[in-house]
Amino acid sequence: MNSIGIKTSQIMSHVALQFGGYEGIPCQVRDVYNRVVGAMKEEKMETDSEGALGFLDCLSAQVPNFIVCHQADEENRLANVFWVDETSRNYYMDFGDVIAFDMTYMNNTNNKPLCILMGVNHHFSTCIFGFALLVDETVTTYSWMLRVLLRCHNNKKPLVVLIDRDNAIQEAIRENILESTYRLCAWNLATNASRAGMI
């Protein structure tokens, strides 16, 4: 009823009539309001993810060498997305010997980790090698991201990977790019030390 524009208060009045008054309703009025709001959020998330995938798929169809890969969960909802353009692919082939993972933790409206894969070129300028919007920070998710990264970049494996102290990403690196050396990022070390009052 709510999806066709009927207000929640009117829905409650209708339900109350069927049960002989508000006291006869088998649930609390606030439960109905919470359910309606939850359904609207879920519908908005599905619409957002469909719109984002549609946009990225359109780019991959129209822009040469633009690649988008995505993964759905058990309930067929969008879980992980990885995308990369031609410039990033060229950067990776030239400067992808050392890559860093910049994890923007839960800074977006859906509380999903955004991973920016980057490096430095011969002028010490930042180059982006790809982006991933992930469902969580587990070994399985990071392993998927690394496999897609390698597939998009002709299976070229980095020599060194700079990471934060996350154990899941370390395990995923050991499983998928065993030949690569991984090190903790100096910026993360300095930031964590200053937070702890060590600097």
Side-chain angles (χ1 to χ4, degrees), residues 61-75:
Q62 294 179 357
V63 177
N65 295 317
F66 185 95
I67 298 174
V68 60
C69 300
H70 57 86
Q71 182 183 46
D73 64 12
E74 306 81 38
E75 297 172 12

Side-chain angles (χ1 to χ4, degrees), residues 75-129:
E75 297 172 12
N76 205 29
R77 292 179 304 193
L78 181 63
N80 301 310
V81 182
F82 181 91
W83 67 98
V84 62
D85 64 7
E86 182 176 24
T87 302
S88 295
R89 296 178 75 205
N90 290 336
Y91 278 152
Y92 186 85
M93 296 314 291
D94 293 337
F95 308 110
D97 292 332
V98 178
I99 65 172
F101 292 92
D102 179 16
M103 300 298 295
T104 305
Y105 289 107
M106 312 304 181
N107 284 346
N108 51 61
T109 56
N110 293 322
N111 291 326
K112 303 289 185 201
L114 173 66
C115 182
I116 303 169
L117 304 147
M118 60 186 175
V120 177
N121 67 16
H122 56 297
H123 297 293
F124 297 104
S125 297
T126 302
C127 340
I128 304 296
F129 301 141

Side-chain angles (χ1 to χ4, degrees), residues 6 24 44 48 59 61 84-85 96 102-103 116 130 133 142 144 153 164 179 183:
I6 299 173
K44 182 181 184 302
D48 286 349
L59 280 177
V84 62
D85 64 7
D102 179 16
M103 300 298 295
I116 303 169
L133 191 59
Y142 284 136
W144 175 86
H153 295 301
D164 63 9
E179 306 84 2
R183 294 288 182 253

Side-chain angles (χ1 to χ4, degrees), residues 6-26:
I6 299 173
K7 293 180 182 176
T8 307
S9 60
Q10 293 171 325
I11 295 170
M12 288 305 300
S13 297
H14 176 71
V15 172
L17 279 173
Q18 291 181 332
F19 282 92
Y22 283 96
E23 58 279 343
I25 298 175

Side-chain angles (χ1 to χ4, degrees), residues 71 80 136-145 147 168 172 175:
Q71 182 183 46
N80 301 310
D136 56 28
E137 299 174 283
T138 62
V139 175
T140 304
T141 298
Y142 284 136
S143 291
W144 175 86
M145 181 186 68
R147 287 192 304 272
E175 287 180 10

